Amino acid sequence: MRVIRFVLNGDPVETAAPAHWTLLELLRYGLKLTGSKQGCDKGDCGACTVLVGGKPILACLSLAARAEGQEITTIEGLMPLHKSRGGSGADPVQEAFDACGALQCGFCQPGMMLSTRALLNQHPQPSREQIQAALSGNLCRCTGYTQILQAVETAIAQSTGAPAPQPAWARDRELQGQEPQS
Ligand code: FES
Ligand code: FES
């Protein structure tokens, strides 16, 4: 066993883990934070994405010892950290994914939202290409990505005070010559 000390979602943590454990195993099985998902367990899907020092990493490919001395953010920490910075309610990224219906089964969402949060912290107004690049390691087998991209652009609009992008379903209705529903 190895003792590991780090800051998890704003709180100091001291825990022990077998030397061979990944960070994902430490989070899910050692600390019972099951928001980070164990999908492929080999670096393909991004469902295990967490932030280390604000940067997204794949927790299934990182040894738990990598957490030593680091600041780690998981999906469980997104709302509390937002509130600790003076925000109210959920992180705007979470609100936008909810408002846009950017999920079906939800398995990819923790990783998607953390990758989005990391992007927006670094680039508050990214281009569509930057969004696609930032989310290129996060696979979704359900949604087809349209609502996910719209959710990210909605979160950007909310942070800048710009109007939210038109929902994809409303654009489709317009193309079909139907009145958009309110
Ligand atoms: S579970 Fe880590 S990339 Fe799929
Ligand atoms: S919502 Fe099911 S995998 Fe993305």
Side-chain angles (χ1 to χ4, degrees):
M1 298 287 276
R2 173 181 175 139
V3 175
I4 306 167
R5 297 175 194 82
F6 57 104
V7 175
L8 178 60
N9 297 329
D11 295 321
V13 168
E14 178 175 321
T15 187
H20 66 276
W21 266 22
T22 64
L23 178 55
L24 183 60
E25 289 170 317
L26 174 63
L27 292 169
R28 286 183 58 85
Y29 308 121
L31 299 171
K32 312 297 183 198
L33 292 182
T34 53
S36 306
K37 299 301 180 218
Q38 194 163 17
C40 64
D41 222 14
K42 58 188 178 75
D44 285 342
C45 72
C48 63
T49 300
V50 300
L51 305 186
V52 177
K55 297 202 171 85
I57 63 125
L58 298 175
C60 74
L61 294 186
S62 306
L63 284 173
R66 181 170 174 192
E68 180 69 42
Q70 300 284 347
E71 284 195 27
I72 310 246
T73 305
T74 67
I75 192 66
E76 289 89 350
L78 218 44
M79 182 162 76
L81 288 171
H82 174 61
K83 286 183 171 176
S84 74
R85 295 184 189 115
S88 62
D91 185 289
V93 169
Q94 293 171 303
E95 299 277 13
F97 273 72
D98 178 29
C100 295
L103 67 159
Q104 289 182 27
C105 79
F107 197 82
C108 67
Q109 294 295 299
M112 286 280 183
M113 290 193 267
L114 287 166
S115 291
T116 301
R117 173 42 61 213
L119 171 68
L120 299 189
N121 285 350
Q122 195 177 8
H123 300 290
Q125 291 183 270
S127 64
R128 173 61 74 101
E129 289 70 30
Q130 286 174 309
I131 297 168
Q132 288 171 323
L135 296 184
S136 61
N138 294 92
L139 304 186
C140 178
R141 60 193 169 184
C142 302
T143 67
Y145 300 94
T146 300
Q147 286 100 326
I148 290 171
L149 294 172
Q150 184 197 344
V152 179
E153 291 174 343
T154 296
I156 296 165
Q158 284 172 342
S159 68
T160 60
Q166 190 182 32
W169 59 262
R171 284 199 301 271
D172 290 348
R173 289 182 69 85
E174 280 185 1
L175 288 174
Q176 291 163 13
Q178 301 172 24
E179 287 293 316
Q181 290 177 335
S182 58

